[in-house]
Amino acid sequence: MNGADKPAAPSGTEETPAAPGWVEDSLDRILASLPFSAETLAPFRAAYLDCLAGCGRAADLDSAHDACRQGFLRALKDSLGLEPAAARTLEQKLEQLELSISSDL
């Protein structure tokens, strides 16, 4: 095998969807208020960030963000038993984060 017959792998310079760099830190601060460890939240956090990154410049960015947020909240409720009061507070904080993302574009 000389390398020519290997499938091409994406390089570090290829464009992939990503949320603005400051979003991860902001999200981490929001999630720190939840009664779950960062390790427990990691897969949910990653899925939410991936969803936000996939929104890009969607025609209806608010609707796309709403879908990401609702999926994230549903996953936390269903998988971790996030309490309704905590879910409402989290939703408000995520809405503010998403508004900041929209205004940053």
Side-chain angles (χ1 to χ4, degrees):
M1 189 176 237
N2 64 9
D5 52 351
K6 290 183 182 176
S11 73
T13 59
E14 290 186 36
E15 289 293 320
T16 58
W22 56 266
V23 173
E24 288 191 46
D25 289 337
S26 296
L27 180 58
D28 288 342
R29 284 191 297 275
I30 291 168
L31 296 179
S33 67
L34 297 177
F36 308 109
S37 70
E39 182 178 288
T40 299
L41 291 170
F44 303 100
R45 174 190 178 276
Y48 178 64
L49 287 170
D50 286 347
C51 186
L52 290 177
C55 293
R57 296 185 184 272
D60 187 354
L61 191 57
D62 291 337
S63 179
H65 283 168
D66 185 57
C68 293
R69 182 178 60 259
Q70 293 307 317
F72 182 57
L73 291 168
R74 188 170 29 297
L76 293 178
K77 290 175 190 174
D78 293 349
S79 299
L80 301 178
L82 183 65
E83 297 293 327
R88 280 190 297 278
T89 301
L90 177 59
E91 182 170 25
Q92 292 169 347
K93 291 177 181 181
L94 294 175
E95 286 172 344
Q96 290 301 311
L97 175 64
E98 293 159 10
L99 284 172
S100 296
I101 293 169
S102 295
S103 67
D104 193 42
L105 295 178

